[in-house]
């Protein structure tokens, strides 16, 4: 008799769970490895840290403060989660890594948690409403997108906001698909439940970054329903309940903040930071096509598949499918709308990348062997670019000046070049063999190793000249017990680890009236400009007590001279 075929060894529940959640677990490990490897990096991280520090000192949960003044740039949600993380981890760890009530790793944790939680929910949603085979490659594409990885371990509001807003749209689409796909809805998974979740997460996105959340949501949903010719669905989409949820969650803080901060704070929070920033921007002003340029780097190397995606959508007639329409619009509408706004940064487009990742995962899943070879060739070529650049630097090319600058980083550069080279070869082999299932995991693994080496070893080497701790150590004895001022717009890193606030002086008259016992902080580049009333004669009235190279520039600590210099003498 023939022997019975061997039976597969059953997996333990733990092993099955680990396999089912492998992408988000690997992403979490990557982020947690990178999380403690650097200090606060300018310009944004020290600002957020200083706001949390001042909220803790004041015991305030209503308003964030920066340099003693209510800070109106963003609503409150991100400050709440940063302060909660800081207070909790400070207590649990006994102050491990904390200075003046803040620690970079603790403030970075909310972005990490938001990124990992979203990735997990994103995979479950794709398996539930689209096809299970899309979930894992889409998650790998999203997690290894350079901008998504960077923002996931950065102290900045954009990852949290984008995760909340994108998840709100996924919930709304889930409710719509349950309504329009007969037989899929049930008591435990009703359309109304998904619609209400959408409004709840939208309200939190509003609390994270303001009116941009409902504006983009209305544009995306209006474009989708117009394309579907299905505005009747609004009668069953719980719009009234959604407005009630939004008002209930958003209005209490806005009212409390307006009453406490006053009319000027309310104006800056609602009008200045939203409508005026959109129509009369004062920073990050770029032409309308700038997001196309951002996309090349922020979504690399997956951006190389976009032309193939356009052909794929047209050839397969996928635009007849409501889910494909929504995914396309959830990326295209923010792209077009934000292109019309004057102020542009790549991170503003972050909420659209999960939808683009799903479309690209579908492209890879449906491709026949001939197209797999073309897609794999494009992906391998994209990976080969950084591999070649890193290899060239590691081998001594680029000139003496470049080699002198990168000399401390040769170790991680060589390791990153090796990893990218191996990844490029693996993807090319998969492409030649027509194995589409290996393209995304192979490229994702190469990119993940690149981020791991660069984000641990590389960040650790890069951190000392960018950190403000060396500055703080040098000047703390010189400012103890003295009033300290800052020339022009404050860079929060200069005060976040000290026990001082540093009121800003912006006129020559204010400098002239400064007490000789006080101290003045300035960036050398601003201090040496003959602007804002500054003159060589006025500069000569101050003596440099310390000059500390930090973050690619130099920070000065100055005091007013008690006696005039020879140049000032009559």
């Amino acid at each position: 008799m023939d022997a019975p075929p061997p039976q597969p060894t059953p997996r333990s529940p733990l092993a099955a769970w680990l396999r089912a959640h492998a992408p988000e677990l690997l992403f979490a490990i990557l982020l947690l490895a990178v999380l403690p490897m650097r200090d606060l990096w300018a310009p944004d991280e020290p600002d957020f840290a200083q706001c949390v520090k001042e909220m803790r000192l004041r015991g305030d949960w209503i308003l964030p403060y920066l340099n003693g003044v209510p800070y109106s740039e963003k609503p409150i949600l991100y400050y709440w989660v940063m302060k909660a993380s800081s207070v909790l981890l400070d207590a649990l760890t006994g102050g491990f890594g904390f200075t003046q009530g803040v620690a970079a790793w603790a403030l970075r944790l909310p972005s990490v948690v938001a990124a990992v939680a979203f990735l997990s929910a994103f995979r479950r949603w794709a398996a539930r409403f689209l096809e299970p085979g899309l979930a894992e490659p889409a998650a790998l594409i999203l997690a290894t997108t350079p901008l998504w990885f960077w923002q996931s371990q950065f102290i900045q509001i954009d990852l949290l906001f984008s995760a909340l807003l994108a998840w709100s749209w996924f919930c709304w689409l889930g409710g719509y698909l349950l309504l329009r796909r007969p037989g899929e809805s049930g008591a435990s998974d009703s359309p109304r439940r998904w619609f209400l979740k959408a409004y709840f997460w939208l309200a939190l996105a509003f609390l994270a970054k303001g009116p941009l959340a409902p504006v983009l949501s209305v544009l995306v949903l209006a474009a989708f329903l117009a394309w579907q010719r299905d505005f009747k669905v609004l009668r069953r989409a719980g719009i009234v309940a959604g407005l009630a949820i939004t008002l209930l969650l958003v209005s209490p803080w806005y009212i409390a903040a307006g009453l406490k901060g006053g009319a000027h704070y309310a104006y800056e929070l609602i009008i200045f930071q939203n409508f005026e920033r959109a129509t009369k921007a004062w920073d990050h002003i770029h032409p309308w096509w700038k997001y196309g340029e951002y996309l090349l780097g922020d979504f690399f190397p997956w951006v190389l598949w976009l032309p193939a995606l356009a052909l794929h959508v047209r050839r397969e007639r996928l635009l007849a499918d409501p889910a494909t329409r929504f995914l396309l619009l959830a990326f295209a509408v923010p792209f077009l709308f934000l292109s019309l706004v004057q102020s542009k940064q790549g991170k503003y487009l972050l909420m659209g990348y999960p939808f683009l990742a799903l479309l690209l995962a579908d492209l890879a899943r449906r491709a026949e062997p001939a197209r797999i070879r073309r897609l794999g060739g494009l992906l391998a070529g994209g990976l080969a670019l950084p591999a070649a650049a890193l290899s060239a630097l590691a081998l001594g090319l680029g000139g003496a000046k470049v080699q002198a600058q990168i000399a401390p980083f040769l170790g991680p550069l060589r390791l990153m070049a090796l990893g990218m080279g191996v990844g490029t070869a693996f993807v090319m082999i998969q492409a030649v063999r027509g194995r589409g299932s290996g393209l995304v995991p192979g490229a994702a693994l190469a990119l993940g190793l690149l981020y791991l080496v660069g984000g641990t070893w590389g960040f650790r080497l890069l951190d000392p000249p960018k950190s403000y701790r060396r500055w703080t150590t040098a000047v703390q004895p010189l400012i103890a017990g003295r009033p300290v001022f800052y020339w022009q717009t404050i860079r929060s890193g200069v005060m976040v680890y000290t026990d001082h606030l540093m009121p800003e002086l912006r006129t020559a008259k204010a400098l002239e009236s400064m007490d000789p016992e006080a101290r003045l902080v300035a960036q050398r580049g601003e201090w040496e400009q003959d602007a804002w009333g500054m003159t060589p004669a006025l500069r000569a009235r101050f003596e440099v007590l310390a000059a500390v190279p930090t973050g690619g520039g130099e920070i000065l600590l100055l005091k007013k001279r008690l006696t005039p210099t020879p140049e000032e003498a009559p």
Side-chain angles (χ1 to χ4, degrees):
M1 295 179 61
D2 293 333
Q7 298 297 315
T9 304
R11 289 180 178 176
S12 69
L14 177 59
W17 185 88
L18 291 174
R19 177 63 188 90
H21 297 85
E24 56 262 40
L25 290 173
L26 291 173
F27 190 47
I29 291 170
L30 171 62
L31 294 178
L32 291 174
V34 173
L35 177 117
M37 292 299 167
R38 60 184 179 85
D39 196 29
L40 304 168
W41 283 7
D44 295 313
E45 289 193 314
D47 283 349
F48 283 114
Q50 181 65 23
C51 287
V52 172
K53 171 185 169 181
E54 294 188 38
M55 288 178 74
R56 291 194 65 180
L57 288 172
R58 292 170 175 268
D60 199 324
W61 288 90
I62 301 296
L63 296 180
Y65 289 81
L66 182 63
N67 208 9
V69 178
Y71 192 53
S72 62
E73 186 165 334
K74 295 293 183 291
I76 197 63
L77 182 64
Y78 192 55
Y79 302 100
W80 277 345
V81 295
M82 283 192 298
K83 182 180 176 182
S85 174
S86 184
V87 170
L88 178 62
L89 294 172
D90 193 0
L92 290 177
T93 65
F96 176 75
F98 279 78
T99 304
Q100 293 290 323
V102 295
W105 69 272
L107 298 178
R108 212 163 272 139
L109 196 59
S111 292
V112 172
V113 172
V116 174
F118 177 83
L119 197 67
S120 179
F122 172 71
R123 290 184 68 237
R124 294 197 307 273
W125 187 95
R128 166 67 180 86
F129 290 102
L130 301 179
E131 294 185 23
L134 287 180
E136 186 164 310
L140 292 174
I141 290 172
L142 181 63
T144 54
T145 295
L147 185 64
W148 192 271
F149 163 73
W150 175 256
Q151 292 295 143
S152 296
Q153 52 82 53
F154 200 66
I155 305 173
Q156 210 168 54
I157 202 167
D158 296 275
L159 194 285
L160 176 65
F161 167 72
S162 297
L164 292 170
L165 185 58
W167 184 238
S168 169
W169 295 350
F170 277 118
C171 289
W172 200 95
L173 177 58
Y176 181 88
L177 294 176
L178 288 173
L179 274 179
R180 294 304 184 231
R181 289 177 176 173
E184 284 203 13
S185 60
S188 62
D189 200 14
S190 67
R192 181 174 177 79
R193 174 171 165 263
W194 281 93
F195 285 132
L196 293 181
K197 288 198 297 185
Y199 305 131
F200 173 82
W201 295 110
L202 175 61
L204 293 186
F206 197 136
L207 271 179
K209 205 172 180 179
L212 181 63
V215 168
L216 287 178
S217 298
V218 168
L219 291 175
V220 169
L221 298 183
F224 172 70
L225 295 177
W227 197 351
Q228 289 289 105
R229 298 180 182 179
D230 193 12
F231 284 99
K232 292 186 294 183
V233 77
L234 294 177
R235 299 174 184 172
R236 303 179 61 186
I239 297 297
V240 174
L243 288 173
I245 290 172
T246 302
L247 288 173
L248 183 64
L249 292 177
V250 172
S251 57
W253 176 78
Y254 269 88
I255 293 171
L259 292 174
K260 187 170 184 177
H264 178 71
Y265 176 82
Y267 171 82
E268 286 199 341
L269 176 69
I270 299 171
I271 305 299
F272 183 72
Q273 292 292 347
N274 293 286
F275 301 103
E276 291 191 15
R277 191 164 199 151
T279 58
K280 301 176 182 177
W282 57 88
D283 60 356
H284 308 298
I285 299 174
H286 296 290
W288 63 268
W289 45 262
K290 186 66 176 180
Y291 280 111
E293 181 181 313
Y294 280 136
L295 191 63
L296 293 175
D298 293 344
F299 202 63
F300 184 86
W302 314 109
V303 66
L304 299 174
W305 281 2
L306 292 187
L309 175 63
L311 293 174
H312 168 70
V313 168
R314 181 179 178 183
R315 185 181 293 119
E316 302 294 333
R317 302 183 184 276
L318 298 179
L319 292 182
D321 177 43
T324 301
R325 289 181 174 183
F326 192 98
L327 297 179
L328 184 61
L329 289 171
F331 174 76
V333 170
F335 185 94
L336 294 173
F337 175 78
L338 294 171
S339 294
L340 300 176
V341 176
Q342 287 185 324
S343 183
K344 297 177 179 66
Q345 293 190 77
K347 61 186 181 179
Y348 295 165
L349 198 59
L350 201 63
M351 81 292 291
Y353 288 154
F355 303 92
L356 201 54
L358 281 169
L359 291 170
L360 291 177
D362 184 65
L363 168 67
R365 184 184 63 85
R366 292 174 183 257
E368 69 278 1
R371 192 181 299 176
I372 286 172
R373 284 190 282 273
R374 291 194 294 271
L375 292 175
L378 285 170
L379 196 55
L383 295 175
L385 292 176
L390 291 167
S391 298
L393 291 173
L395 292 173
L397 302 180
K401 184 177 180 181
V402 171
Q403 286 298 312
Q405 292 175 336
I406 68 168
F409 307 99
L410 280 178
L413 282 174
R414 289 167 179 160
L415 189 54
M416 288 190 290
L418 177 62
M420 291 301 290
V422 171
T424 301
F426 178 83
V427 171
M428 182 58 74
I429 291 171
Q430 299 299 303
V432 171
R433 293 180 175 178
R435 295 179 178 175
S437 60
L439 296 183
V440 171
L445 181 60
L447 291 167
L449 292 174
L450 178 75
Y451 301 153
L452 180 63
V453 176
T456 53
W457 193 357
F459 280 1
R460 176 64 71 184
L461 292 173
L462 190 59
D463 187 58
K466 295 177 72 69
S467 171
Y468 285 89
R469 291 188 181 275
R470 180 169 54 172
W471 151 264
T472 305
T473 300
V475 304
Q476 189 76 308
L478 303 176
I479 63 177
R482 298 176 184 272
V484 183
F485 299 91
Y486 193 92
W487 174 241
Q488 293 306 310
T489 304
I490 189 74
R491 299 294 186 270
S492 299
V494 302
M495 64 178 173
V496 69
Y497 294 132
T498 73
D499 55 0
H500 282 71
L501 297 180
M502 300 180 183
E504 298 163 26
L505 304 182
R506 301 192 179 186
T507 65
K509 183 177 180 181
L511 287 178
E512 290 169 351
S513 63
M514 215 180 85
D515 191 294
E517 291 300 313
R519 297 293 180 259
L520 181 69
V521 179
Q523 302 286 328
R524 182 179 286 279
E526 291 186 343
W527 181 248
E528 294 181 349
Q529 286 186 58
D530 288 339
W532 312 292
M534 176 62 72
T535 64
L538 181 56
R539 260 194 304 275
R541 295 182 61 186
F542 286 81
E543 172 187 354
V544 177
L545 298 177
V548 183
T550 305
E554 192 172 34
I555 309 173
L556 307 178
L557 180 69
L558 307 107
K559 74 170 184 176
K560 201 171 185 181
R561 298 180 189 274
L562 294 175
T563 57
T565 63
E567 293 81 1
E568 296 179 288

